[in-house]
Amino acid sequence: MPTRILPAVGDPDAVRSITTLLSQLPDAEPVAPVVDSTQLVDTLARLAAESVDELPEVVVVHERIGPVPALELIREVALRFPAVGVILITTDAGPGLFAAAMDSGARGLVALPLSYEELAHRVQAVAQWSVGVRRHLGHGGDVFTGVGGTVVTVSGAKGGVGTTLTAIQLALAAQASGRGAALLDMDLQTGDIASYLDVQFRRSVVDLATITDISPRVLADAVFRHDTGLALLLAPGEGERGEEVTDRAARQIVSALRSRYEVVVVDCGAQLGGAGAAAVEMADTALLVTTPDVLAVRGAKRTVRMWDRLQIRKAEETTIVVNRHTRGTEIQPALIQKITGTGIASTTVPANFKELQGAVDAGRIHALDNKSTVKQALWGLAGELGLVKAAEGSGHRGSRGAVGFRRRRDGGG
C-alpha cells in the first residue's frame, strides 16, 4: 500500500524541491502540498470527518510554515490527529530542537539540505508507526475526528460586568439548540462557574495542566457533565493552583475541547494571565464584556490596547458586548465602539438584575425563566455569533458584519 505524504511548506522554492524528492521515494504517494497552518489543519479535519483511513500516514512540516509556528502546529496536529506521523524539516538538526520537536509530538526530524537516504528512512519509519497506531486503535476508536469546533472567549473589561453570566448563557444556548457545547472556566484564581450552576466537582482544568497527550478518554475524565448536557471544565477550587496552568497547557486544553465539541465557550475573567491570553489568541471570536459607564469603558479600552501591545489580539478582531444597557444612558454602543476601535455586537443586554437575583443566589442560573429579558438577549447574542444550530434552510453562522472580525481557525489575522 503506498504511503500518503502531505507536505506543509510555505516557501515556493522549498515546495518544489521537497515535492520532487518525495515523489522519488519508493511506494510514496505525495498529495498536493498545503501552504500554511490553516490549510493543513482544515485539510486534515476534512479528511478525518470522512474517515480516519482517509488521513495521510505522514505529514512533512517545513520549519518556516506560518502563521502558526512549526512546533505549535505539530503539537496541534499530534493532538487532534494522533494517527498521523509528523516529520519536521529544518536547518537546525541540533539536540535542542530535536528534543523540542519530540516533545511537541513529531515522529522525526530531517535536516536541510535534504538527503534522499535520510528522508526515505525517516518517512518509512514514520509510515510504519502510523499504520501500527491505526491498527492498535481499531481504525481510530480513540482518535479525535471531528472538524474543529468554534471557540469563543468571554473576557471582562473589569470585574463585575457580567462576564461569567454571559459565558454560561452563550454555552447553554448552543447546547439547547442541539450543538455539543463545552464551557471552560479559565478565570483560574476566582472562577465561579461552579457556584452559578450549583456544581460540586472533584476534577478541574488543573488536572490536565501537566498532561502532554490529552486523549478523548483523559479529557472525559476531567469534564463534568451538567444536567443540561453542557460539558464543564472548571477552575480549581484552590485559586493558587491556577498558576499550574501555563499558556502551553491552555493551548493544549482548548485544542482538545475544540476537537471534541462543536462550540467551546471560555470564561477568561477580567484579569489577564498567560493561560487566558493563549485562549484569547486562539479564539475564533473574542468577546469583551463592558457596562455603559466610564470606568468599565476605560477598562475595555485599556484591555484592548494591552491585547494589541502584547500581540494577543487586534482591536478590530475583538467584539464588545454591552451589558446592563438602557436607552437613557449617555454612553451608547456606538460611542463605546468609537472609543475602543473594536467591533460591537448589535445585541445589547438590558439592565435587569432583579430577574436574575433569585437564580444567581440559588446557583441555578441555568434555570432562568425563558421570559427573562436578560436571557432572551444573551441567547439572541448566541444566535448573532452563530453558536446555535441554524434552522433548516438558513445560514450556519451568524452575520459577521454584526460582530466584527472573526479570526481564521489557527488564530492568525
Side-chain angles (χ1 to χ4, degrees), residues 56-118:
E57 286 77 23
V58 179
V59 169
V60 176
V61 174
H62 190 272
E63 63 180 353
R64 292 200 299 271
I65 195 71
V68 171
L71 291 182
E72 289 189 24
L73 178 61
I74 290 170
R75 187 178 299 116
E76 182 170 0
V77 171
L79 172 67
R80 294 181 56 183
F81 314 100
V84 174
V86 184
I87 297 173
L88 174 64
I89 296 179
T90 176
T91 53
D92 177 12
L97 181 61
F98 181 85
M102 297 304 105
D103 288 343
S104 296
R107 301 304 307 176
L109 185 148
V110 178
L112 289 168
L114 291 176
S115 160
Y116 174 86
E117 290 76 14
E118 184 184 7

Side-chain angles (χ1 to χ4, degrees), residues 51-412:
S51 169
V52 174
D53 291 332
E54 296 298 318
L55 288 167
E57 286 77 23
V58 179
V59 169
V60 176
V61 174
H62 190 272
E63 63 180 353
R64 292 200 299 271
I65 195 71
V68 171
L71 291 182
E72 289 189 24
L73 178 61
I74 290 170
R75 187 178 299 116
E76 182 170 0
V77 171
L79 172 67
R80 294 181 56 183
F81 314 100
V84 174
V86 184
I87 297 173
L88 174 64
I89 296 179
T90 176
T91 53
D92 177 12
L97 181 61
F98 181 85
M102 297 304 105
D103 288 343
S104 296
R107 301 304 307 176
L109 185 148
V110 178
L112 289 168
L114 291 176
S115 160
Y116 174 86
E117 290 76 14
E118 184 184 7
L119 183 62
H121 172 74
R122 184 49 51 198
V123 166
Q124 182 181 21
V126 172
Q128 290 175 351
W129 172 86
S130 175
V131 171
V133 168
R134 297 179 195 208
R135 186 182 302 117
H136 175 71
L137 294 177
H139 298 284
D142 194 34
V143 176
F144 288 123
T145 59
V147 176
T150 298
V151 175
V152 176
T153 55
V154 185
S155 305
K158 67 180 188 67
V161 295
T163 307
T164 299
L165 174 67
T166 300
I168 291 173
Q169 290 298 329
L170 291 178
L172 287 172
Q175 180 70 32
S177 76
R179 304 188 75 183
L183 178 59
L184 169 60
D185 197 343
M186 201 61 86
D187 186 1
L188 296 170
Q189 291 188 336
T190 58
D192 226 11
I193 286 177
S195 298
Y196 273 84
L197 298 175
D198 193 24
V199 168
Q200 302 296 321
F201 63 99
R202 186 166 52 91
R203 297 191 182 277
S204 74
V205 65
V206 170
D207 293 292
L208 299 178
T210 59
I211 298 176
T212 56
D213 183 15
I214 306 177
S215 69
R217 194 167 301 155
V218 169
L219 182 63
D221 286 342
V223 165
F224 181 94
R225 183 67 65 175
H226 192 255
D227 293 342
T228 58
L230 197 60
L232 305 177
L233 188 52
L234 299 165
E238 304 83 16
E240 66 275 12
R241 296 198 64 196
E243 295 181 359
E244 299 175 32
V245 184
T246 63
D247 56 344
R248 179 178 177 180
R251 290 180 185 278
Q252 294 187 146
I253 292 165
V254 172
S255 293
L257 290 169
R258 165 181 270 162
S259 302
R260 203 65 174 170
Y261 299 93
E262 292 180 83
V263 173
V264 180
V265 180
V266 186
D267 179 359
C268 294
Q271 298 296 321
L272 183 69
V280 171
E281 187 178 8
M282 294 177 69
D284 297 292
T285 300
L287 302 181
L288 183 58
V289 181
T290 186
T291 48
D293 59 85
V294 172
L295 291 180
V297 174
R298 282 179 179 170
K301 183 177 180 180
R302 186 167 55 243
T303 298
V304 169
R305 287 183 171 180
M306 179 171 60
W307 287 0
D308 188 46
R309 287 195 306 272
L310 297 177
Q311 297 183 341
I312 296 168
R313 200 96 184 174
K314 295 178 181 177
E316 61 268 24
E317 297 172 352
T318 303
T319 301
I320 293 283
V321 175
V322 182
N323 188 26
R324 300 177 197 148
H325 174 259
T326 61
R327 291 184 179 180
T329 185
E330 293 184 9
I331 302 177
Q332 290 294 319
L335 178 59
I336 297 174
Q337 182 177 23
K338 182 178 180 180
I339 292 171
T340 60
T342 63
I344 195 154
S346 61
T347 303
T348 58
V349 184
N352 198 340
F353 184 72
K354 286 185 178 180
E355 65 183 32
L356 300 176
Q357 189 166 6
V360 170
D361 291 344
R364 293 187 56 80
I365 201 66
H366 55 286
L368 195 60
D369 195 307
N370 289 334
K371 295 180 181 179
S372 162
T373 57
V374 174
K375 178 177 179 177
Q376 289 174 3
L378 288 171
W379 285 41
L381 175 64
E384 180 182 338
L385 298 171
L387 303 184
V388 299
K389 185 175 288 186
E392 188 174 351
S394 65
H396 179 67
R397 290 192 180 274
S399 168
R400 296 193 177 199
V403 298
F405 185 92
R406 178 178 280 114
R407 279 201 171 179
R408 292 169 64 177
R409 177 52 48 84
D410 60 78

Side-chain angles (χ1 to χ4, degrees), residues 31-62:
V31 298
V34 296
V35 299
D36 60 32
S37 55
T38 304
Q39 192 178 0
L40 173 61
V41 173
D42 287 349
T43 298
L44 293 176
R46 175 175 50 80
L47 294 172
E50 298 175 14
S51 169
V52 174
D53 291 332
E54 296 298 318
L55 288 167
E57 286 77 23
V58 179
V59 169
V60 176
V61 174
H62 190 272

